[in-house]
Amino acid sequence: MSVKCKIGPSVLNADLSDLSEASTKLLDSGADYLHLDVMDGHFVPNLTFGHPVVKCLRNKIPKAFFETHMMVSKPEQWIEPMADAKVDQYTFHIEPVSDVPSICRQVKEAGMKVGLALKPGTGVEVVAKYIDMADMVLIMTVEPGFGGQKFMTNMMDKVRWLRENYPSLDIEVDGGVGPSTIDACAQAGANMIVSGTAVTGATDPSQVIKTLRNSVEKVINKS
Ligand SMILES: O=C(CO)[C@H](O)[C@H](O)COP(=O)(O)O
Ligand SMILES: [Fe+2]
C-alpha cells in the first residue's frame, strides 16, 4: 500500500460560531487537513454553511488543506464559488449526479482535487468507471446529514474492495469514526480519516488524533 495516513477532523459538531478558533485548535492538535461539511437541506435533511463561510475561514487560515464534503443536490453549482474560496479538494456525492465525468472535469479545471463520495446504500463497484478521474473516494460510514451517529461496520466491505483493487488510491471514511472504530477502518484499508465528535468533543484532541494516526500507520507500515 503506497498511501499516506492523513487525519482530517470534521468541524460539524464544533462551535460553528467560532469556526476559525475551532479549526486552528484542530490544526494545532495535529490535523493534516480540515473536512468541511457543506449541507444544502435538500440532499440531506440538515443545513450547515456554504462558500461565503469557507471563504472567510480561508482568509483566517491561509495555508491548511481544505476539503469540502459537498452534501448537496447540485454539486455543479458550487464548483466556482468553492474554487474562489481556495478550497483544495471538492468531494461530492455521485448519487444526485447524472454526468459524473463532467463534474470531475469542471472541478479539476477549477484547480481542485476531486473526491467522489458514496452514501451507505450505494454500491462501491459503481465508482470503478470514474476512478481515473478521482483523487480520492469517500466511503460514508453513516447516513450523511448529522454528526455523532453510530459507525456502520458493514461499510468496511466497500473499503476492503477498493483497497484490494486500487492499492494506491486515497480512501476516506467519514461518520462515527473514533478510537473505538479506527482499527476496523485501518485494517480494511482506509488511509484518510475523518473524525468529528470523537475529536472535537475530546478534552485532549491531540491524543485522539494520535490514536487514529497510530492505528492507520501500523497497517500501512506492515504492508
Ligand atoms: O459528513 C458528515 C455527516 O454527514 C460528518 O463529516 C461526520 O458525520 C463527522 O462527524 P462524526 O465523526 O461525529 O460522525
Ligand atoms: Fe463529512
Side-chain angles (χ1 to χ4, degrees), residues 10 35 37 69 71 138 140 174 194:
S10 157
H35 176 91
D37 289 300
H69 176 193
M71 287 165 273
L138 161 56
M140 286 303 296
D174 179 18
V194 176

Side-chain angles (χ1 to χ4, degrees), residues 26 43 49 75 92 112 117 120 124 170 193 207 213:
L26 292 167
F43 178 68
F49 48 79
F92 65 96
M112 297 180 287
V124 67
D170 277 328
I193 308 299
Q207 196 48 52
R213 192 185 302 288

Side-chain angles (χ1 to χ4, degrees), residues 8-127:
S10 157
V11 294
L12 183 57
N13 280 6
D15 179 1
L16 294 179
S17 73
D18 201 352
L19 188 53
S20 120
E21 169 65 25
S23 303
T24 303
K25 188 175 168 194
L26 292 167
L27 292 163
D28 290 347
S29 299
D32 298 295
Y33 67 106
L34 287 179
H35 176 91
L36 303 169
D37 289 300
V38 175
M39 303 185 188
D40 67 353
H42 189 256
F43 178 68
V44 288
N46 199 5
L47 277 174
T48 51
F49 48 79
H51 55 91
V53 170
V54 176
K55 191 169 181 173
C56 291
L57 186 64
R58 177 54 91 197
N59 288 338
K60 292 263 177 76
I61 302 179
K63 292 229 167 76
F65 189 98
F66 282 7
E67 175 198 25
T68 49
H69 176 193
M70 304 301 296
M71 287 165 273
V72 300
S73 291
K74 292 185 178 170
E76 66 278 11
Q77 192 172 346
W78 313 112
I79 296 171
E80 282 307 327
M82 285 302 184
D84 180 57
K86 299 197 170 57
V87 163
D88 299 284
Q89 179 167 313
Y90 193 87
T91 298
F92 65 96
H93 279 266
I94 63 169
E95 291 87 0
V97 173
S98 56
D99 190 348
V100 173
S102 160
I103 298 196
C104 292
R105 266 191 301 276
Q106 291 174 56
V107 171
K108 278 195 190 300
E109 278 166 21
M112 297 180 287
K113 286 185 155 188
V114 174
L116 299 179
L118 270 62
K119 287 169 76 170
T122 305
V124 67
E125 297 83 0
V126 73
V127 292

